[in-house]
Amino acid sequence: MNKVDRIREKIAAGKLVKGFFLNMADPMVSEMAGYIGYDYVWIDAEHGPLDRQEIFHHIVAAQGAGCAAFVRVPGVDAKAMKAILDMGPDGIIFPFTNNAEVAKEAVRSCSYPDHGGVRGQGPIRAIRYGLIDEDEYIQTAYERVYKVMQIETLEGYENLDEIMEVNGIDSLFIGAADLGRSIKGQTGEKKYELPEVYDDICRRVRAKGLTLGAAIGATKEEAAKAMGKGIQWVVFGQDARVLADGLKRNFDELAEF
């Protein structure tokens, strides 16, 4: 069973899928997350200063330590996606999925022409350097990649129904921080309130039968609240902040000396 199937199985069993957010270059972070027991790591190639080689090392480290590797890409770019997909990640997260056309392009970028996509053929690590039959991989590659669309703008929210109709989407993720700012807009006049929008997204995505993810605080209360809204997978904690918090607490112990 591949790691994507394990995540799907855990969601089907009603268990919360847990991930750790990272943008530091050192793959030891991903390896530690896997050893600790996280279900996946969120490798941030959108905001994080990660190059392709560093993304590759994170994928290898995470999977080698037993957890899935999700990569958040900067946007929908089929040419840039080829190299990342050929590294063999378990999921791709597409930020700012504002309409159905963006979602369609995202799905196509993850799919070979056999499945209506535009992905170029050249898997390397994705076929374990030739240990997996390439033709067999191509026939199953579509299901091997968990395709996540991030809803984080007013436009995305207002186009939610059309986005959810796009074939090939595995999950949606609520980007609450950017969504809240987008709702507020430049004038400061809110068209909607974030709590109501957040809950509405939860209801509609679950009614559609798609899986739903969100960021939460690292507390039992936050996890229970999220699950109560129908959220099935979460990301909590971020490498640089966890390190900074630990370093500060460590330093503060001796601050008086």
Side-chain angles (χ1 to χ4, degrees):
M1 179 184 294
N2 63 45
K3 291 177 174 60
V4 172
D5 287 338
R6 289 214 314 254
I7 285 175
R8 290 188 176 114
E9 188 177 77
K10 188 168 183 177
I11 288 173
K15 300 292 183 65
L16 188 65
V17 171
K18 299 177 284 292
F20 184 71
F21 186 96
L22 59 91
N23 59 24
M24 295 174 68
D26 199 319
M28 284 194 295
V29 181
S30 289
E31 190 175 35
M32 282 188 280
Y35 289 151
I36 287 166
Y38 284 90
D39 297 297
Y40 75 98
V41 292
W42 176 306
I43 302 164
D44 190 32
E46 182 193 15
H47 291 290
L50 301 175
D51 62 27
R52 276 169 41 175
Q53 190 77 1
E54 289 161 349
I55 293 168
F56 176 79
H57 288 156
H58 275 298
I59 293 170
V60 172
Q63 293 174 340
C67 71
F70 286 7
V71 180
R72 179 165 68 175
V73 295
V76 180
D77 181 349
K79 293 179 181 178
M81 285 291 299
K82 285 187 289 186
I84 292 176
L85 288 166
D86 290 343
M87 297 175 192
D90 303 290
I92 300 291
I93 301 164
F94 294 94
F96 293 95
T97 306
N98 292 335
N99 53 57
E101 191 53 44
V102 172
K104 289 175 184 176
E105 286 300 313
V107 172
R108 283 196 286 264
S109 73
C110 292
S111 315
Y112 287 111
D114 314 54
H115 289 90
V118 294
R119 179 179 173 184
Q121 184 172 338
I124 304 171
R125 183 176 179 273
I127 57 170
R128 301 297 183 264
Y129 313 105
L131 298 175
I132 294 174
D133 181 78
E134 187 166 341
D135 291 334
E136 179 184 337
Y137 168 80
I138 288 171
Q139 293 306 312
T140 61
Y142 185 73
E143 290 79 21
R144 290 172 182 260
V145 179
Y146 204 66
K147 296 168 283 294
V148 180
M149 307 297 142
Q150 198 162 352
I151 305 299
E152 51 186 339
T153 65
L154 176 59
E155 183 183 357
Y157 170 63
E158 293 185 332
N159 290 323
L160 182 61
D161 288 337
E162 291 80 7
I163 292 169
M164 291 193 295
E165 288 297 324
V166 175
N167 290 328
I169 292 175
D170 290 295
S171 185
L172 282 89
F173 185 93
I174 304 174
D178 282 318
L179 180 58
R181 292 187 181 89
S182 180
I183 289 171
K184 185 176 180 181
Q186 293 183 353
T187 64
E189 296 179 5
K190 294 183 180 181
K191 187 173 182 179
Y192 306 100
E193 293 293 333
L194 181 60
E196 287 76 14
V197 168
Y198 193 103
D199 289 347
D200 186 46
I201 293 173
C202 291
R203 285 191 298 268
R204 289 160 64 189
V205 172
R206 299 301 301 119
K208 186 67 177 177
L210 292 169
T211 60
L212 180 63
I216 65 169
T219 67
K220 292 180 180 179
E221 292 75 18
E222 285 276 314
K225 182 179 178 181
M227 294 184 75
K229 293 179 183 292
I231 293 165
Q232 298 144 303
W233 62 281
V234 296
V235 62
F236 58 100
Q238 190 254 16
D239 54 2
R241 293 188 181 189
V242 169
L243 178 59
D245 180 64
L247 285 171
K248 186 176 186 307
R249 282 189 284 106
N250 197 49
F251 181 82
D252 286 349
E253 286 294 319
L254 300 183
E256 64 183 274
F257 294 96

